[in-house]
Amino acid sequence: MAGIRGVRWLPGGRVLGIVGVVLALLAGAGWLAKPVWQPWWYAATLCGGHLSGRELAELLPAERLQGAEDTFGTGNGPLRCGVDESDGRHFVLDVRAEMDTGEPLGPLDMEFTVPRDLRFAYPRSVPGFYGKFGPVILQECPKLGPDSEGRARRLVTKVYTHGVESDPSPESLRTAVRIANGANVETGCGADALPLPERVEPVREVSLAEARDTMCGWLAGTRLPASPSGERWQVVAPTDEHASITHCSLIDSGSGRPAVSLTGWYGDWTDKPFERLVSSNLQVPEGRSARDALLGQDFGRAAARCAGESANFLATSYTRNHTGSALPMSDVRGLLGAFARDQAARRGCTDLRLPGPTVHPDWDQE
């Protein structure tokens, strides 16, 4: 009988050799529980081929996989794909790309159930953030033109990684960018192709003087309150001034924590989520509405009209244990007003509405 190179045949038909040893080692290491080809197979066959096998393997190192629903390549409705764990008990990775229509319960609706600070883990060249459930990218679609209501069409790409990771990773961010670029082509959106980020962006804190050259430069020319620790202020300015979501933060260098975070949200899609944000967290007084600019115990909301659509501005301020505002709400209100006025001037916005001085109680306060 012809022998197999590297294998020694023994009586009784048992075989010992390189193959057996390798299989035993793989089994002991758990590799037989998940075929090593799976990430590359699904990357090549799902989501229009826009996934990376290496990144999928990094995100899901142990799970046995099976393909989920895949509508990429159909050109119909929301584009959706992903991989599930093969036992069907829970999802592993869910990918969606769809046009935002400005309607209630749209693709970004769940980002607004509570006032919170977003994590901007992309370079400025990528219009996105790390949301409640994973990476989110929001792109305007110049080739599609406005909809019947005159609103800009926007492509929203989301990668649900909630069951996979608790913090941003380069692999999930690159996955979101790959999907966004593929969906951009398939939908005819016409947005510029996004560069693949090499890493999760660290929080870069700069001095007030250094912030002058950023979209948060207005802070350098504003009379600022004292920081909670009494130490100097630093600034975080992670977004481009033309993005659909903009952000500035004031960091107390004594504690290293943000004392106030300010975000601008552009488009009619922001109205309903912000109404729910206000109505779910504030006791809106009689004669006022959740559509108004109001001030709460640790956040404030302002509004305007920009390029024919709504814009909403949010200021949040928390202590370390979320037991109140890090700054007096009068100071938070002043910073929100300065931020909203600066944003309105940059974008030619009108009908700017700022909250009054009354601090309305939370729902859980009697």
Side-chain angles (χ1 to χ4, degrees):
M1 178 184 293
I4 301 176
R5 185 177 182 182
V7 175
R8 182 161 54 94
W9 294 84
L10 296 178
R14 290 179 299 156
V15 178
L16 295 176
I18 293 175
V19 174
V21 171
V22 170
L23 288 176
L25 290 174
L26 288 176
W31 283 96
L32 290 184
K34 175 187 178 180
V36 295
W37 51 263
Q38 279 198 333
W40 285 267
W41 169 260
Y42 285 117
T45 57
L46 290 176
C47 306
H50 302 306
L51 297 176
S52 158
R54 184 190 66 79
E55 289 157 14
L56 198 57
E58 289 288 335
L59 282 169
L60 309 170
E63 291 87 348
R64 289 179 61 91
L65 308 178
Q66 66 178 5
E69 176 188 7
D70 190 352
T71 62
F72 272 78
T74 65
N76 296 322
L79 302 177
R80 182 175 180 179
C81 63
V83 291
D84 294 333
E85 192 168 46
S86 61
D87 63 11
R89 289 181 297 181
H90 65 278
F91 80 88
V92 173
L93 198 68
D94 186 40
V95 174
R96 302 186 189 190
E98 58 188 298
M99 287 296 168
D100 169 58
T101 62
E103 296 299 320
L105 304 179
L108 289 170
D109 185 71
M110 290 302 294
E111 297 295 336
F112 288 83
T113 52
V114 295
R116 65 190 184 86
D117 297 332
L118 300 175
R119 288 184 283 180
F120 291 93
Y122 281 114
R124 291 185 189 178
S125 57
V126 179
F129 61 93
Y130 196 83
K132 260 185 200 176
F133 306 107
V136 178
I137 296 177
L138 181 64
Q139 299 166 283
E140 294 197 0
C141 298
K143 286 190 176 179
L144 297 180
D147 65 14
S148 59
E149 302 294 327
R151 298 177 296 218
R153 298 182 194 268
R154 296 176 178 89
L155 176 64
V156 180
T157 300
K158 300 179 293 183
V159 178
Y160 287 76
T161 59
H162 188 64
V164 175
E165 61 183 7
S166 57
D167 290 300
S169 70
E171 290 76 24
S172 67
L173 298 184
R174 289 169 67 87
T175 296
V177 170
R178 292 181 190 278
I179 293 295
N181 283 338
N184 175 31
V185 173
E186 183 164 338
T187 60
C189 172
D192 292 336
L194 301 176
L196 284 174
E198 294 296 328
R199 60 175 184 167
V200 172
E201 286 294 297
V203 175
R204 182 170 176 262
E205 300 170 1
V206 300
S207 67
L208 286 169
E210 292 173 313
R212 290 184 183 276
D213 295 329
T214 72
M215 63 149 285
C216 304
W218 60 275
L219 285 164
T222 301
R223 184 175 180 178
L224 300 177
S227 71
S229 72
E231 298 296 327
R232 69 184 185 281
W233 286 116
Q234 292 183 300
V235 177
V236 173
T239 56
D240 183 86
E241 66 177 310
H242 303 296
S244 294
I245 303 168
T246 56
H247 176 81
C248 296
S249 284
L250 269 179
I251 307 297
D252 180 354
S253 63
S255 66
R257 293 181 56 82
V260 63
S261 293
L262 302 139
T263 48
W265 303 77
Y266 295 90
D268 284 347
W269 63 270
T270 64
D271 282 338
K272 292 298 181 183
F274 266 83
E275 287 177 27
R276 189 176 71 245
L277 178 71
V278 171
S279 62
S280 298
N281 293 279
L282 297 185
Q283 295 183 33
V284 179
E286 187 176 352
R288 303 298 299 273
S289 125
R291 294 186 295 273
D292 294 336
L294 296 171
L295 203 63
Q297 297 288 316
D298 50 20
F299 80 96
R301 181 258 191 113
R305 296 289 295 176
C306 304
E309 293 193 65
S310 298
N312 283 276
F313 307 103
L314 178 67
T316 57
S317 179
Y318 307 111
T319 57
R320 181 179 295 275
N321 297 319
H322 282 227
T323 56
S325 176
L327 289 178
M329 290 311 294
S330 58
D331 292 337
V332 174
R333 173 176 175 252
L335 291 168
L336 173 59
F339 173 70
R341 284 190 289 269
D342 178 81
Q343 292 279 283
R346 291 173 185 268
R347 295 184 179 242
C349 304
T350 60
D351 191 25
L352 180 61
R353 290 164 284 146
L354 302 175
T358 300
V359 179
H360 300 282
D362 296 339
W363 269 118
D364 58 0
Q365 292 183 335
E366 296 182 357

